[in-house]
């Protein structure tokens, strides 16, 4: 049995006309001999409407009740779509999270998938040609309804593909794939044919909002081929896969940026064991996600500690720092909300030196000052003045020749045999 | 554990202000030491909206998908109401049909209850003070969502009361009880303190739309005391109970009427075995509900067959009759859509003669012609010209002194010992 998962977002199911497009995609997959699991979101705006209703009724809506309520959005979508399929003579039915069942933990509003009843799904695929599956929702071990968090339908889709051993999980969206960078910032941005899961994780965490990050983690874990493509064309989009040979030729796959950064520097704090914990523990407890952290080499038992937080958390962070200022001996606290993080991302970095120096040289040529640098195996991030964000992105995009499709790598002698 | 069920309809949960009234009723029951099962309908208009959406999308919406979709109305109500309760510091949660679970058969759109997990409900009542239960919905043995038909929340409520052995099932509505007849027709109509299940069944089937008929059947079967009362006052309403001594004093409890009747007479059909089957079988197959049937005594091997059908089915009925006209030898077919059925209802009828003659005499005094008569143990129905409906109702109401509360019956000697 050949199985395909197709996921459509809220704008794709907004009305009857849009649903026709979805119907065409499903029909094409059926014609190709697939059984199809169609994962749908709520109609555009419906989830927000329900959330606002709850917030009008209650000052602190219970997360469990909130989940039970917002899942109705997808429940309506899949029922309507099933009717549409049946009208076309297609053997189809809807399937809600609890009916699969897709078990999650009880973290209402951001539940994690624990288990999916694969045999039951398989049995249903014997009986039906299309299963219209409500995205975003599951149920905990006590049958309470849960949701997977914003964008959770992506994760639902990937999980369904993993559970049914589907050939591919197609994520239909209003963009036609993953780009080397934001086309709104850099007109030279090029659509990628393929991207490795790890690269996509870095891109997604940097605000490339094509996919929910957790869905990429899930796809990586279960090695699910994910095809990100447009609802409105038939052009192939971008395939998310494990790193393979054909990718290694590209040193760098993309440039991502994140304007939601604020910089804080604690000057001349005591450089002693446990100082980091003293600073970052109260922030963690307050739920502030600290991103880049840099500690300068010690001078006379003192050091500068610099880090970034989301702009919206800056005020709260400064208050917390104020409470521990004396304890850590900070002589001064500087902050700057007008900064931006730009990252060069690529699996090829792991095996090639000199990537960083290409980046730094290019930025120097444009006189762009780098405030902070942090690196990982497959990423180099630079903090720059916010006003240089776009220039930085374009400069790096050009420096790594991302507008050009990379040439296939020469096969290594050992591999051709 | 003292348990009370309270059921509120769509107008009671229409908005936050209405819900406040519901909250007051629940709070009062809690103050009286009860654990409360609150059965809610969808917000007024929501079910109709969802049905119209389905009908826009599909020419013949699948009943199973329709049920899955319309149950979302109650799902939203109970989540919102639970939030409201929790904001008041009340230990509460929502409970959907499948979560109870309330098992039904798979007759989507008009499912019948098979089983309710009473121990699970009892266990939850240990944990919570209020359970907000989604009315109208259940799930079949394959976990598909079902609905109990229009007004099904009444039946949900009575079923919950039976399953938890509740002291009373309060049905809150926009009228304050069950009346001796329609107050819009007869200003002398009086609210009944009590009514027997069987009487209520007759009243309900005649268009007294206070309760879903099936909820009354259910209440009778499980002997659930049902209290029909107003959401907007604290005045006691009408109690539905098994027939008891205090009722026997009243010969007649109420007058019901039904304008949705059309009369058909087949003149001079063959009076031979099987003739009724030949006439009524094709009507049953076509789903036409035949109500009153009268066959005149035979003359020379011929008879007149007269019956009533709902007005909306008259055309179809006449077509079916036309097909079998020759077979049954009907010399003529007469029909009259301008008729009305008025019924005198009362448990006391079983033990007292002369009720019919009081009715007939009263109608003769007003020169109202009776076209058809049919009787049951506790009901006498008369078909009259539609234009005399209201006059007939008022005449009978007065003839049986229904504006007056009946005097308690003298206890029979054998019972006082």
């Amino acid at each position: 049995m050949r199985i395909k998962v197709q996921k459509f977002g809220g704008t794709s199911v907004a009305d009857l006309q849009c649903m026709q497009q979805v119907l065409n995609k499903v029909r094409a997959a059926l014609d190709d001999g697939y059984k199809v699991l169609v994962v749908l979101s709520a109609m555009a705006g419906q989830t927000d409407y329900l959330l606002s209703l709850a917030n009008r009724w209650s000052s602190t809506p219970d997360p469990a009740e909130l989940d039970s309520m917002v899942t109705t959005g997808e429940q309506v979508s899949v029922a309507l779509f099933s009717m549409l399929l049946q009208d076309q003579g297609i053997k189809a039915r809807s399937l809600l999270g609890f009916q699969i069942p897709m078990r999650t933990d009880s973290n209402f509003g951001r539940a994690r998938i624990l288990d999916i009843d694969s045999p039951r799904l398989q049995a249903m695929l014997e009986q039906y040609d299309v299963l219209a599956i409500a995205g975003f929702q599951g149920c905990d071990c006590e049958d309470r309804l849960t949701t997977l968090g914003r964008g959770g339908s992506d994760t639902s889709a990937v999980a369904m593909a993993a559970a049914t051993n589907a050939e591919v999980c197609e994520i239909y969206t209003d963009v036609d794939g993953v780009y080397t960078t934001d086309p709104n910032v850099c007109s030279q941005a090029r659509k990628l044919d393929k991207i490795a899961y790890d690269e996509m994780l870095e891109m997604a965490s940097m605000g490339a909002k094509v996919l929910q990050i957790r869905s990429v983690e899930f796809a990586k874990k279960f090695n699910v081929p994910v095809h990100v493509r447009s609802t409105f064309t038939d052009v192939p989009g971008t395939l998310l896969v494990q790193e393979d040979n054909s990718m290694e030729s590209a040193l760098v796959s993309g440039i991502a940026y994140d304007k939601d950064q604020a910089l804080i520097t604690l000057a001349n704090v005591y450089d002693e064991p446990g100082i980091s914990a003293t600073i970052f523990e109260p922030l963690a407890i307050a739920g502030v996600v600290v991103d880049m952290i840099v500690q300068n080499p010690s001078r006379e038992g003192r050091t500068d500690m610099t880090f970034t937080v989301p702009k919206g958390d800056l005020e709260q962070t400064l208050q917390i720092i104020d409470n521990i200022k004396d304890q850590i001996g900070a002589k001064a606290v500087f902050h700057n909300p007008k900064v931006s993080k730009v990252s060069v991302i690529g699996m090829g970095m792991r095996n090639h030196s000199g990537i960083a120096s290409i980046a730094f040289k290019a930025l120097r040529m444009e006189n762009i000052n780098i405030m902070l640098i942090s690196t990982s195996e497959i990423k180099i991030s630079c903090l720059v003045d916010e006003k240089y964000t776009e220039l930085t992105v374009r400069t790096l995009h050009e420096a790594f020749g991302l507008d050009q499709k990379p040439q296939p790598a020469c096969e290594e002698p050992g591999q051709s045999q």
Side-chain angles (χ1 to χ4, degrees), chain A residues 10 14 24 72 79 81 103 120 139 149 152 163 181 207 212 215 242 263 295 315 326 340 359 363 370 381 400 416-417:
Chain A
N24 292 340
T72 59
F81 188 60
R103 296 281 172 204
R120 187 160 187 206
C139 68
T181 194
Q212 195 197 28
S215 70
Q242 298 287 18
L263 181 73
Q295 184 180 345
E315 277 308 311
D326 296 337
S340 214
L363 295 184
I370 305 172
S381 295
F400 290 103
S416 64
Q417 291 169 353

Side-chain angles (χ1 to χ4, degrees), chain A residues 185-298:
Chain A
V185 164
C186 175
S187 61
Q188 302 292 307
R190 182 176 50 82
K191 190 176 74 188
L192 293 161
D193 295 335
K194 285 187 180 182
I195 186 169
Y197 298 125
D198 284 325
E199 290 172 329
M200 189 64 212
L201 279 175
E202 297 289 359
M203 297 288 268
S205 66
M206 293 287 288
K209 292 182 181 58
V210 183
L211 282 176
Q212 195 197 28
I213 292 179
R214 275 175 47 205
S215 70
V216 184
E217 290 169 351
F218 214 100
K220 184 188 171 191
K221 187 170 171 188
F222 294 98
N223 199 11
V224 175
V226 176
H227 188 174
V228 179
R229 57 194 306 186
S230 165
T231 315
F232 309 104
T233 70
D234 285 325
V235 179
T238 302
L239 204 61
L240 271 67
V241 287
Q242 298 287 18
E243 182 189 10
D244 67 10
N245 283 341
S246 71
M247 288 178 157
E248 285 190 38
S249 56
L251 299 180
V252 168
S253 293
I255 313 293
Y257 67 92
D258 180 5
K259 290 186 169 183
D260 186 25
Q261 297 269 325
L263 181 73
I264 295 164
T265 298
L266 311 179
N268 273 301
V269 298
Y270 302 129
D271 188 11
E272 58 190 20
I275 188 74
S276 299
T278 310
I279 297 170
F280 296 116
E281 212 171 0
L283 291 176
I285 289 166
V288 174
V289 178
V290 176
D291 186 359
M292 303 171 84
I293 302 176
V294 171
Q295 184 180 345
N296 286 353
S298 184

Side-chain angles (χ1 to χ4, degrees), chain A residues 38-40 71 74-75 78 95-97 100 132-137 156:
Chain A
V38 184
V39 177
L40 298 181
T71 55
E74 282 74 18
Q75 193 166 333
V78 292
L95 209 45
L96 304 175
I100 299 172
I133 290 170
F136 180 57
Q137 60 178 248
S156 297

Side-chain angles (χ1 to χ4, degrees), chain A residues 364-381:
Chain A
R364 187 181 60 199
M365 293 283 286
E366 294 291 342
N367 262 331
I368 298 167
N369 183 41
I370 305 172
M371 301 175 178
L372 269 187
I373 298 169
S374 84
T375 59
S376 77
E377 269 215 310
I378 65 164
K379 183 177 71 171
I380 301 163
S381 295

